[in-house]
Amino acid sequence: MTNLDLYAKAEHLLGIEEATEALYDLYRSELDEYKIKTLLDVGCGRGGFMRRMISDGVECKGIDLSAVMIDECKAQNLDAEWIDISEVEGKYDAVVAIFDVLNFLNHDKLLAFLDDVAQRLNDEGVFIADINTRYGFSDVAEGTMSSENEKEFLSVDAVFEDDELHTKFTLFLKNEDGNYTKHQDTIIQYFHKMKIFQTLEGLKLADKQTFSLYDTEDKTLLIFKKR
Ligand SMILES: C[S@@+](CC[C@H](N)C(=O)[O-])C[C@H]1O[C@@H](n2cnc3c(N)ncnc32)[C@H](O)[C@@H]1O
């Protein structure tokens, strides 16, 4: 199991449904003014945002680097592929990267990723993404939690140091024989300074809004236009 697949298996135990819904509402209302017909959802997860946009009449494609996530999208008949953004064909009216996706990329990967996004936008296209603020990492994300049900036990231990959040996931899954199998891996998230987003060749930062998802000013929404 890759670390992203472990995250996919653990996500429902994190208690983030409400925050996810709030983010979807925000993205949807921001996209409203653009009257888009096509959308690429990068890091689409289980496809919740695509389902919403499809019901608004938007043609959606999702990609994610977790095969577990993509399998769940496909089971719901969503157009989803387990590929990197550099492999996506065609162009879209809008691209989104919802709920920390940019924080999964280190500085160099982020720059390449943003270039790939720009190349997949139609003229006048819009790219919307959110990132965690430094406060969001140091005061909200850092710490430990655990969660369990009859078949699963999860513990999460996150440490923020040198602008990186290292989150160790330990997941015990109950087998049919009653024994548990332990899965453990770490996901690194990177804090990004705003400066990175202000000097991109292919994308112009049109707007940024710092807002509160779990706590005061823990996230920033970034809205880019294709240059
Ligand atoms: C916190 S989840 C959010 C999922 C979804 N956007 C949502 O709002 O429910 C982050 C997702 O990004 C995916 N991911 C991480 N790095 C990625 C990359 N470079 N390209 C595509 N997906 C990526 C992970 O597998 C995971 O599904």
Side-chain angles (χ1 to χ4, degrees):
M1 202 186 300
T2 66
N3 62 349
L4 293 183
D5 285 342
L6 177 56
Y7 172 83
K9 295 262 185 209
E11 191 181 63
H12 66 285
L13 295 164
L14 294 173
I16 59 170
E17 292 83 1
E18 222 175 283
T20 304
E21 288 299 312
L23 267 185
Y24 291 173
D25 285 346
L26 182 62
Y27 275 76
R28 192 191 198 183
S29 70
E30 288 297 334
L31 284 172
D32 194 44
E33 69 177 271
Y34 297 97
K35 310 290 173 221
I36 59 165
K37 293 198 172 69
T38 55
L39 173 84
L40 175 67
D41 187 343
V42 185
C44 61
R46 323 196 115 71
F49 188 65
M50 284 199 281
R51 280 200 304 280
R52 225 175 242 214
M53 296 308 287
I54 289 167
S55 69
D56 286 353
V58 177
E59 194 183 314
C60 295
K61 178 172 184 85
I63 58 167
D64 199 290
L65 292 185
S66 159
V68 171
M69 293 295 203
I70 292 301
D71 284 348
E72 290 205 21
C73 288
K74 285 184 172 161
Q76 301 169 71
N77 288 322
L78 294 169
D79 178 2
E81 262 189 285
W82 180 39
I83 55 172
D84 186 78
I85 186 163
S86 58
E87 300 167 88
V88 172
E89 288 175 6
K91 295 193 179 211
Y92 295 81
D93 296 340
V95 177
V96 292
I98 306 175
F99 217 152
D100 296 359
V101 177
L102 297 191
N103 291 118
F104 282 71
L105 303 159
N106 66 25
H107 179 266
D108 290 352
K109 287 193 172 153
L110 175 69
L111 290 179
F113 178 96
L114 294 169
D115 199 37
D116 280 323
V117 168
Q119 288 176 36
R120 277 148 193 91
L121 280 174
N122 286 324
D123 291 345
E124 316 287 316
V126 59
F127 170 52
I128 309 184
D130 57 86
I131 49 169
N132 290 315
T133 61
R134 201 188 288 272
Y135 175 80
F137 274 127
S138 62
D139 286 65
V140 183
E142 188 168 64
T144 58
M145 61 85 74
S146 67
S147 168
E148 65 188 298
N149 61 33
E150 284 154 25
K151 292 183 174 163
E152 303 157 306
F153 173 84
L154 173 71
S155 85
V156 180
D157 183 11
V159 178
F160 185 61
E161 215 173 67
D162 298 332
D163 282 353
E164 292 182 6
L165 183 80
H166 291 238
T167 307
K168 190 196 269 185
F169 288 84
T170 308
L171 179 66
F172 290 89
L173 295 177
K174 198 173 190 174
N175 302 318
E176 287 189 354
D177 62 9
N179 292 323
Y180 283 82
T181 303
K182 178 181 172 184
H183 303 273
Q184 192 170 57
D185 214 332
T186 299
I187 286 188
I188 303 178
Q189 284 185 261
Y190 302 86
F191 168 73
H192 299 308
K193 294 197 177 87
M194 199 50 65
K195 183 166 82 190
I196 300 177
F197 302 105
Q198 287 160 338
T199 52
L200 300 168
E201 255 179 46
L203 297 169
K204 181 182 184 325
L205 184 61
D207 193 15
K208 61 179 165 59
Q209 306 162 16
T210 295
F211 64 102
S212 309
L213 189 60
Y214 294 104
D215 201 333
T216 321
E217 308 211 323
D218 51 353
K219 275 209 156 284
T220 305
L221 190 74
L222 305 170
I223 302 180
F224 300 89
K225 304 270 179 66
K226 186 182 166 84
R227 276 196 203 272

